[in-house]
Amino acid sequence: MSIHVMKPGMQTTIQDLGRYGYMNQGVSVTGAMDSKSLRVANLLVGNDEGEACLEMTLTGPSLSFDEDLLIAVAGGGMIPVLNGKRRSLHTPLFVPKGSYLHFEPIRKGCRAYLSVAGGFNVPVQLGSKSTYIRAKMGGLEGRALEKGDVLDLLPMSDHANKLVQRLAEDQKPLHWRVAQTIESTTDQPHLIRVIKGSHFDRFTTESQKIFLEKPFQLSTQSDRMGYRLETEESIELADSFELLSEAVALGTVQLPPSGKPIILLADRQSTGGYPRIAQVMLVDIPKLAQMRPGEWIQFTEVSLQEAEQVYLQSEKELAEIKVAIQLKGI
């Protein structure tokens, strides 16, 4: 079984939940920018929630299929159009042999995730299928998809085969509602919750107020490695000090000499030498992943205990989604 790439889209890569355990050797974690949407897309087709998907950015690919398949698309920025008919996000889709799939842009969100029952048959490198373009590692030859690529697939599970038969016989799409990470389009800043970073107290009182009270705009100079934020007011240290490079994490907010924050994301480096003013709460990373350049962010402080409670609640909701999907047919 395989999928043929007719058009690759803006930047379409194979991603899973990431490559862990090698940051001490300088190997980036990579993985999905919006891990929640990837997990939901996989659950909808009966895959392990960490299976690799296609991560699609703003402009999705055009694909053709040479076998009956079961797919799902979760996230935002686009909706699937199968054989000329618009289909829903966040629901299993039966794709008959010979079908053509493309994506129609929408105003909300930035990234969508295409799962295929069984998963993509690409090599596992250092425990992950994720594409790390800078190192030419993982995914399909360590790069984004190109026109003419053929994506080999793994066999579908028995559960997925049964659902394919059911959908093929009924000829009716399922409508399964699951949690989404996309906020409504609005002129108001997206609220992003942060914990104070290890160097927060080294910044001036005025800079601390700016960081937590003023909005920041997402720069066009942003990518999977990190989001650069624009502001009219520079954030400054109270006193200059020497800082050795230290380990950084997903969501670390650094302040380079420009005084404009950088939020480190999926393709981040392993260490950083800039002061760390804050750490984005893990649950809000998917929200960041769905933001587009030009949108606004407003930071708000939470405690470590609050962040832990919200994380546990989020994982509980995903577990409930998994159970609900299993009860409805997979």
Side-chain angles (χ1 to χ4, degrees):
M1 296 189 295
S2 59
I3 297 175
H4 297 262
V5 180
M6 314 304 289
K7 296 180 181 178
M10 181 179 291
Q11 186 182 57
T12 305
T13 58
I14 294 174
Q15 301 290 346
D16 55 23
L17 292 179
R19 185 171 285 107
Y20 288 89
Y22 300 95
M23 288 282 274
N24 63 333
Q25 299 175 45
V27 179
S28 177
V29 172
T30 65
M33 287 279 281
D34 179 355
S35 60
K36 181 178 181 181
S37 290
L38 178 138
R39 293 167 72 184
V40 168
N42 275 316
L43 291 175
L44 286 167
V45 298
N47 289 345
D48 180 270
E49 63 185 71
E51 182 57 66
C53 294
L54 292 185
E55 179 180 89
M56 307 172 292
T57 308
L58 290 174
T59 303
S62 297
L63 308 169
S64 65
F65 301 79
D66 61 7
E67 297 288 345
D68 291 353
L69 290 175
L70 179 68
I71 69 169
V73 181
M78 63 196 78
I79 57 172
V81 180
L82 182 63
N83 297 326
K85 295 183 179 180
R86 297 176 63 174
R87 306 299 294 271
S88 299
L89 294 169
H90 309 106
T91 191
L93 300 174
F94 169 60
V95 180
K97 178 181 178 179
S99 292
Y100 183 81
L101 175 71
H102 72 279
F103 293 85
E104 182 179 306
I106 56 176
R107 290 183 60 199
K108 295 187 293 183
C110 181
R111 292 177 172 86
Y113 293 82
L114 170 67
S115 63
V116 179
F120 293 96
N121 186 16
V122 296
V124 176
Q125 294 182 285
L126 300 182
S128 172
K129 296 180 181 179
S130 284
T131 307
Y132 183 26
I133 292 178
R134 285 182 172 85
K136 298 181 180 180
M137 174 188 293
L140 188 65
E141 301 175 0
R143 58 172 172 79
L145 298 193
E146 297 176 355
K147 181 179 179 180
D149 283 338
V150 178
L151 304 173
D152 292 327
L153 306 176
L154 295 167
M156 290 190 291
S157 67
D158 290 340
H159 289 306
N161 274 312
K162 290 178 182 177
L163 186 55
V164 165
Q165 292 174 7
R166 171 184 164 190
L167 290 171
E169 291 170 0
D170 292 347
Q171 295 295 313
K172 294 179 181 179
L174 295 175
H175 294 287
W176 297 354
R177 296 301 176 190
V178 298
Q180 301 181 35
T181 58
I182 315 302
E183 293 187 346
S184 300
T185 301
T186 175
D187 293 331
Q188 297 300 313
H190 298 270
L191 196 64
I192 300 297
R193 293 164 288 186
V194 296
I195 303 164
K196 286 181 179 178
S198 56
H199 305 121
F200 184 86
D201 293 336
R202 304 296 294 265
F203 290 87
T204 65
T205 301
E206 182 62 25
S207 291
Q208 293 172 3
K209 289 181 62 178
I210 291 171
F211 183 77
L212 292 173
E213 296 177 7
K214 301 289 185 180
F216 295 85
Q217 189 173 36
L218 180 57
S219 168
T220 55
Q221 302 299 312
S222 299
D223 57 20
R224 284 178 46 88
M225 187 172 183
Y227 280 1
R228 294 179 180 272
L229 305 180
E230 299 290 343
T231 176
E232 294 181 357
E233 301 175 83
S234 180
I235 298 177
E236 300 175 344
L237 291 165
D239 297 293
S240 60
F241 66 100
E242 293 293 328
L243 178 64
L244 296 175
S245 289
E246 299 177 350
V248 293
L250 179 64
T252 294
V253 186
Q254 291 188 319
L255 259 296
S258 66
K260 297 179 180 179
I262 299 174
I263 306 174
L264 301 182
L265 295 170
D267 287 356
R268 64 196 178 278
Q269 71 277 20
S270 56
T271 62
Y274 297 136
R276 295 176 293 175
I277 192 169
Q279 181 70 39
V280 174
M281 192 170 71
L282 189 60
V283 170
D284 282 354
I285 296 295
K287 186 189 298 186
L288 279 174
Q290 293 297 344
M291 288 183 58
R292 303 183 181 197
E295 293 188 296
W296 292 83
I297 287 173
Q298 175 75 61
F299 293 114
T300 185
E301 183 189 356
V302 295
S303 67
L304 178 60
Q305 290 73 23
E306 288 174 302
E308 289 175 341
Q309 291 171 0
V310 174
Y311 173 77
L312 291 173
Q313 179 60 34
S314 176
E315 290 299 302
K316 179 182 177 183
E317 291 171 358
L318 275 170
E320 291 171 351
I321 290 171
K322 184 175 182 179
V323 171
I325 289 171
Q326 290 172 337
L327 292 174
K328 288 185 177 182
I330 288 186

